């Protein structure tokens, strides 16, 4: 019996989330759909950031990529989720560096029609090169090291977060004090990359955090 009711429960949950986003929209706050490559690391970090920034959870829908693990599949998943609920103001995919990023970027750039029938929405591809752990490392130190593997970046991060675990629900509490430092490090890094012609290491996470801050009650005065 419970199995038969699951579709109805999911439909009710979607409708409740839609109504909550509608209330937020009427209050002048944007709504977000964020699809993450990682099942826990990125969602835990972003949830912690939203809590610290006083962003109402109803405004931000964070989803795991599930079976989708490469950037193209993640963008397809984000577009599919948007098409079933087209009242999101901003859609993003958070992923690591991968060979098919160019194809993913082309797909992400294709416009989708917002539910209001007036606006176009694109998928913002938020990439960390080589991986999300490099972005976390920037909370503690500046680096231009071109890590050979993601494991190398994890090992370097553990010099600062000795008990680092991808599934740690307290991840943001352990690194969040360095958010502004990390943003500044990315700004500096992009200047250095432009001068050298290199593409890695790098992270687009500051762009996502900047968008999320638009829904902060601290920023909006609500």
């Amino acid at each position: 019996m419970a199995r038969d009711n699951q579709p109805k429960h999911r439909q009710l949950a979607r409708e409740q989330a839609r109504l909550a986003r509608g209330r937020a929209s009427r209050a002048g706050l944007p709504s977000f759909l964020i699809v993450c490559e990682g099942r826990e690391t990125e969602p835990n970090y972003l949830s912690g950031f939203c809590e610290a920034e006083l962003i109402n959870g109803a405004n931000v829908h964070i989803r795991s990529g599930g079976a989708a693990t490469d950037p193209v599949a993640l963008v397809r998943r984000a577009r599919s989720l948007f098409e079933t609920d087209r009242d999101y103001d901003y859609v993003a995919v958070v992923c690591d560096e991968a060979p098919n990023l160019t194809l993913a970027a082309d797909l992400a750039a294709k416009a989708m029609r917002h539910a209001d029938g007036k606006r176009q929405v694109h998928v913002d591809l938020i990439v960390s090169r080589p991986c999300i752990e490099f972005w976390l490392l920037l909370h503690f130190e500046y680096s231009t090291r071109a890590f050979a593997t993601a494991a190398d970046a994890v090992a370097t991060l553990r010099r600062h977060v000795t008990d680092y675990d991808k599934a740690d629900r307290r991840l943001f509490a352990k690194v969040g004090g360095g958010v502004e430092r990390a943003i500044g490090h990315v700004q500096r890094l992009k200047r250095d990359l432009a001068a050298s012609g290199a593409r890695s290491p790098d992270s687009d996470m500051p762009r996502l955090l900047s968008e999320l801050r638009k829904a902060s009650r601290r920023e909006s005065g609500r």
Side-chain angles (χ1 to χ4, degrees):
M1 182 64 67
R3 184 176 301 169
D4 293 339
N5 287 335
Q6 283 181 0
K8 292 182 179 180
H9 291 164
R10 287 194 293 268
Q11 183 177 358
L12 178 59
R14 286 195 297 269
E15 183 59 27
Q16 290 174 337
R18 186 179 295 112
L19 290 173
R21 288 196 300 276
R23 289 192 294 271
S25 179
R26 288 191 293 275
L29 297 174
S31 59
F32 302 82
L33 171 63
I34 304 172
V35 177
C36 300
E37 175 182 342
R39 293 177 180 271
E40 297 177 283
T41 309
E42 295 91 333
N44 287 340
Y45 177 92
L46 291 170
S47 295
F49 175 83
C50 289
E51 182 177 352
E53 292 289 323
L54 303 181
I55 298 170
N56 190 328
N59 296 64
V60 185
H61 192 189
I62 302 172
R63 296 288 297 268
S64 161
T69 56
D70 70 273
V72 170
L74 289 164
V75 172
R76 285 175 178 158
R77 174 161 169 75
R79 291 176 62 89
S80 176
L81 289 170
F82 179 84
E83 290 300 331
T84 63
D85 191 354
R86 297 183 297 115
D87 59 356
Y88 291 102
D89 300 298
Y90 176 86
V91 181
V93 161
V94 180
C95 64
D96 294 346
E97 185 176 33
N100 62 352
L101 276 176
T102 300
L103 292 175
D106 290 343
L107 180 60
K110 293 183 178 180
M112 302 177 291
R113 182 71 64 180
H114 190 273
D116 63 14
K118 301 175 183 178
R119 287 175 287 162
Q120 291 186 335
V121 178
H122 302 78
V123 177
D124 194 0
L125 195 58
I126 304 296
V127 184
S128 291
R129 299 178 171 87
C131 57
I132 190 64
E133 282 80 11
F134 175 71
W135 162 248
L136 299 177
L137 176 64
L138 292 177
H139 289 60
F140 301 96
E141 66 176 76
Y142 180 73
S143 177
T144 58
R145 176 182 170 188
F147 293 94
T149 65
D152 290 339
V154 170
T156 305
L157 173 62
R158 285 193 172 127
R159 296 199 308 232
H160 302 280
V161 185
T162 56
D163 61 346
Y164 173 72
D165 187 297
K166 283 181 172 291
D168 190 349
R169 293 187 177 183
R170 298 187 65 253
L171 176 60
F172 187 80
K174 295 178 179 180
V175 306
V179 169
E180 297 307 321
R181 183 184 304 117
I183 292 172
H185 283 163
V186 168
Q187 292 171 344
R188 175 184 169 189
L189 180 60
K190 288 186 181 295
R191 291 194 296 269
D192 289 345
L193 290 174
S196 67
R199 290 179 54 83
S200 182
D202 194 8
S203 180
D204 300 321
M205 284 293 288
R207 189 167 71 244
L208 174 56
L209 302 192
S210 177
E211 291 294 330
L212 285 170
R213 279 176 165 163
K214 294 177 183 178
S216 170
R217 294 193 295 275
R218 181 183 296 127
E219 294 296 322
S220 65
R222 294 174 174 82

